Amino acid sequence: MLDLFRNIIKIRISRQNQIIFAAFNLCLLIYILSSSLMILKNNVNNLKKENEINLNRIEFIAAIEEQEINSKSAFSSNFASSVNSSARDNKLKIDRTLPISNNEISIWINESNFIDLFNWFLEINNNGVEITKMSIRRISKETVSAQLTVKL
């Protein structure tokens, strides 16, 4: 191995070949650096977009917490029926509902889109319904199943 290295050092190349070799290495280095910079720039832009989306979500949730929720809502007349129709309007598949008390029911939702479920949570929250217990399980990339208890 040492002999091979010594033989490589002993090889003499012409000045023109040295310049070509150096220029090639310089071009290769510039290409690698510019490619790395473009990849990093794309990653930074993606992180900025993701951060902006997260900030918007946080601001939205904070705004919901600041709103005064009227305890007498559209849900108060027939609680279970209103919850079921609201879920249906949000494309949710309610498998079962179980009344626990006069103003509290347990709900099982299977194979629903998480975004639809989240939007439904926001809707019922805005109507004075409180989620007292919740368990969400991921079924596939976009679908979830949930079991929750809601209270008026």
Side-chain angles (χ1 to χ4, degrees), residues 97-120:
T97 58
L98 176 68
I100 295 174
S101 67
N102 193 24
N103 288 331
E104 191 172 26
I105 57 174
S106 193
I107 302 170
W108 286 263
I109 299 172
N110 282 330
E111 297 181 11
S112 295
N113 184 294
F114 177 75
I115 300 300
D116 294 337
L117 182 66
F118 182 75
N119 289 335
W120 182 63

Side-chain angles (χ1 to χ4, degrees), residues 41-134:
K41 185 177 180 180
N42 285 338
N43 286 343
V44 166
N45 286 338
N46 289 340
L47 288 173
K48 282 182 181 178
K49 287 177 187 175
E50 188 176 322
N51 190 27
E52 193 174 301
I53 290 169
N54 287 335
L55 286 174
N56 287 337
R57 287 179 181 161
I58 290 170
E59 289 171 357
F60 180 72
I61 291 172
I64 289 173
E65 291 174 358
E66 292 171 2
Q67 292 176 353
E68 187 174 325
I69 298 173
N70 189 358
S71 61
K72 300 258 183 196
S73 69
F75 284 87
S76 60
S77 59
N78 188 350
F79 183 49
S81 165
S82 298
V83 167
N84 283 330
S85 65
S86 172
R88 207 173 24 256
D89 292 344
N90 282 284
K91 304 173 200 158
L92 297 177
K93 301 171 189 172
I94 292 186
D95 277 355
R96 185 169 65 154
T97 58
L98 176 68
I100 295 174
S101 67
N102 193 24
N103 288 331
E104 191 172 26
I105 57 174
S106 193
I107 302 170
W108 286 263
I109 299 172
N110 282 330
E111 297 181 11
S112 295
N113 184 294
F114 177 75
I115 300 300
D116 294 337
L117 182 66
F118 182 75
N119 289 335
W120 182 63
F121 289 162
L122 294 176
E123 180 182 328
I124 64 173
N125 185 38
N126 288 337
N127 284 298
V129 177
E130 177 185 351
I131 301 171
T132 57
K133 293 179 186 174
M134 178 171 43

